[in-house]
Amino acid sequence: MSSISTLLLFLLFFLVTAVEAHNGTIVCRCRRHHNPNNGSADKTSSSLSPSSSGTSNQGSSTPLPPSSSSDTSNQPASPSPPSSSTTNSTDDKKTSSSSSTSIGFHARGSIGVTLGYDGQNLPSPSTILQILKSHNITNLRLLVPIPDLIGALNGTGIGLMVGVPNDLIVQLSIGGVEACLHWIKYSVLNYINAEQVTYITVGNEVLGTNIAIVNHLIDCMRAFHQALQALKLDSSIKISSPCSSHILSVLMPPSAGTFSPLSLAVVRPILKFSSETGSPFMVNLSPFLRFLENHQGLALDFFLFKANAGTVTDGGLKYTNIFDVMIDALEAAMEREGYPGIKVLVSGTGWPTTGNQVASPSNAAAFLDGIVSWVLQAKGTPKQPKQAVEVYLSNMFAGSGGGSNDIGKHSGIFNFDGSLAIGVDVKF
């Protein structure tokens, strides 16, 4: 690109001031924010179209370096990043001005919420922040970058998991490390201190998308890991790609846990990557869907963490809730593939309040109360006692998810005014 063209693009960047928010797409105003990492960036454009689990995203446009590959010719043109003499300051990990403690993969009894954005109006970042603080929620998962909200989290000590949309995976994979560095800097680190970022998720439930995305997933994950290595952040920010709980074809008994043959093309490379990089294996677990599809004679109460709901015995181990069963089945399946000891992180779970005969406010409240207690007690599972599991609840707001059966939209914990959507005060 000639110097004249570069100058014209640079000037156009500062002339863009429109803000649009409709049809599941955010187009962010290009005005500057305080950059905690001493760089500056344009705001990203993001969109999300969640899957039936309430946690999938299908579309988002984020600034990327221009690519000469014909494979990305139908991608939207990428604006040039703003000039700054300090853009490369993110090469060294920054320390936060707050007194926050370390949050993330090694946290015990850690619970977070997922913000599944599908284009509906959200509360202001300050309102979202107040909800998180008032309920002692220490981790937030964003399916796509939301710059205003990421900036509001800066200095709060709240850990951030931020997602790369499915529809950017091919382009970022082709662009390689340089493209991933650009995305990390201009979508995330220009708004928040690096020490608050715990995970970058590359896509979400990619197995249910098209073959091109599946084929580029691991290359994209590796490029992001190499980008974090270049920034000296690979030990504190981990890369993963959340899978659906449908990857398990055998769940009972837990020791017989087995991955579906159709999932292995994605699961095996992710497990290898996790083993090499120390990243967790992320799964969106849906006890609700499991109950509907095949509860195997187990009582509904077993899925809702209720007492006296029956017991599943597997060898010398006894199970009193479906969550323990599902996690230990995942552990067994990973061992069967030759990858023991990889941590499981539940990147999304919830129970809808309406839409089905077992989807009700009372059942949602029971599940929420049960899962929060399960996480905070940090007892682990029968197979992995005292090994706490990090869990993200989905969705943060009622009506902010999506999917063909609207499960995500009815799984919200809070209303937009901050009140609990299920009408029960659960202490996080």
Side-chain angles (χ1 to χ4, degrees):
M1 181 180 293
S2 68
S3 58
I4 295 176
S5 298
T6 301
L7 179 59
L8 288 173
L9 283 176
F10 182 78
L11 292 174
L12 282 172
F13 163 80
F14 286 101
L15 292 175
V16 178
T17 57
V19 178
E20 296 177 42
H22 61 282
N23 297 326
T25 302
I26 310 169
V27 180
C28 300
R29 182 187 310 238
C30 296
R31 58 180 166 80
R32 296 190 178 244
H33 277 254
H34 167 65
N35 179 359
N37 293 310
N38 296 324
S40 59
D42 54 317
K43 289 194 173 185
T44 60
S45 302
S46 307
S47 70
L48 170 67
S49 179
S51 74
S52 61
S53 67
T55 54
S56 287
N57 56 75
Q58 301 299 327
S60 177
S61 176
T62 302
L64 293 171
S67 172
S68 60
S69 170
S70 60
D71 290 342
T72 60
S73 60
N74 60 349
Q75 295 286 344
S78 303
S80 299
S83 175
S84 171
S85 61
T86 57
T87 298
N88 294 326
S89 64
T90 51
D91 287 350
D92 295 316
K93 182 177 179 180
K94 300 298 178 285
T95 57
S96 172
S97 59
S98 71
S99 58
S100 62
T101 57
S102 178
I103 303 171
F105 182 47
H106 300 291
R108 293 188 61 81
S110 177
I111 196 162
V113 294
T114 299
L115 186 53
Y117 186 74
D118 67 353
Q120 300 186 33
N121 293 328
L122 288 172
S124 67
S126 61
T127 299
I128 294 174
L129 187 59
Q130 180 57 38
I131 294 171
L132 295 173
K133 288 182 174 180
S134 64
H135 290 274
N136 300 317
I137 299 171
T138 57
N139 294 285
L140 178 66
R141 178 187 177 195
L142 298 181
L143 296 183
V144 297
I146 303 176
D148 282 339
L149 180 54
I150 295 175
L153 294 174
N154 186 48
T156 64
I158 294 173
L160 175 65
M161 177 193 297
V162 62
V164 177
N166 288 344
D167 71 344
L168 286 183
I169 289 175
V170 174
Q171 187 176 355
L172 286 166
S173 172
I174 293 171
V177 176
E178 181 182 353
C180 294
L181 273 169
H182 185 280
W183 191 93
I184 292 169
K185 290 180 180 180
Y186 294 109
S187 296
V188 184
L189 295 185
N190 270 15
Y191 305 98
I192 193 169
N193 285 288
E195 72 170 28
Q196 279 183 248
V197 183
T198 54
Y199 306 102
I200 293 175
T201 57
V202 180
N204 188 66
E205 299 186 6
V206 167
L207 191 60
T209 63
N210 67 62
I211 191 64
I213 294 175
V214 172
N215 289 341
H216 280 272
L217 175 62
I218 294 301
D219 286 344
C220 191
M221 292 173 68
R222 292 194 182 281
F224 266 101
H225 179 67
Q226 292 167 14
L228 290 174
Q229 287 179 317
L231 296 171
K232 299 180 175 64
L233 295 173
D234 56 299
S235 63
S236 59
I237 302 176
K238 295 299 180 180
I239 304 294
S240 192
S241 184
C243 297
S244 162
S245 56
H246 286 98
I247 58 174
L248 280 174
S249 62
V250 178
L251 185 68
M252 299 281 283
S255 60
T258 306
F259 289 120
S260 163
L262 293 176
S263 74
L264 292 177
V266 169
V267 169
R268 282 174 175 164
I270 292 178
L271 289 174
K272 185 175 187 294
F273 175 87
S274 297
S275 178
E276 293 170 348
T277 63
S279 299
F281 184 69
M282 295 188 182
V283 184
N284 300 324
L285 292 184
S286 179
F288 171 75
L289 288 178
R290 179 63 65 171
F291 179 82
L292 291 183
E293 293 165 359
N294 186 6
H295 57 75
Q296 295 183 272
L298 296 171
L300 176 61
D301 286 354
F302 191 83
F303 290 73
L304 299 175
F305 295 91
K306 291 187 177 181
N308 304 316
T311 301
V312 170
T313 301
D314 185 9
L317 302 178
K318 294 185 177 181
Y319 293 82
T320 59
N321 65 78
I322 194 63
F323 224 73
D324 283 341
V325 169
M326 297 178 84
I327 290 176
D328 279 358
L330 281 168
E331 295 278 0
M334 290 191 293
E335 291 176 3
R336 189 162 278 106
E337 293 298 323
Y339 294 99
I342 295 177
K343 304 291 184 183
V344 172
L345 186 153
V346 180
S347 43
T349 190
W351 196 281
T353 57
T354 188
N356 182 275
Q357 66 272 18
V358 295
S360 66
S362 60
N363 285 344
F367 180 83
L368 182 59
D369 184 48
I371 188 61
V372 170
S373 297
W374 184 89
V375 172
L376 297 183
Q377 288 173 10
K379 291 182 178 179
T381 66
K383 181 177 173 62
Q384 300 284 340
K386 299 182 180 179
Q387 181 64 60
V389 180
E390 194 169 352
V391 173
Y392 288 76
L393 305 174
S394 56
N395 284 298
M396 182 173 180
F397 292 111
S400 65
S404 59
N405 54 10
D406 287 337
I407 290 175
K409 289 185 177 180
H410 298 304
S411 298
I413 301 168
F414 301 101
N415 295 310
F416 282 0
D417 62 1
S419 61
L420 280 159
I422 59 173
V424 177
D425 189 11
V426 178
K427 297 298 183 184
F428 296 90

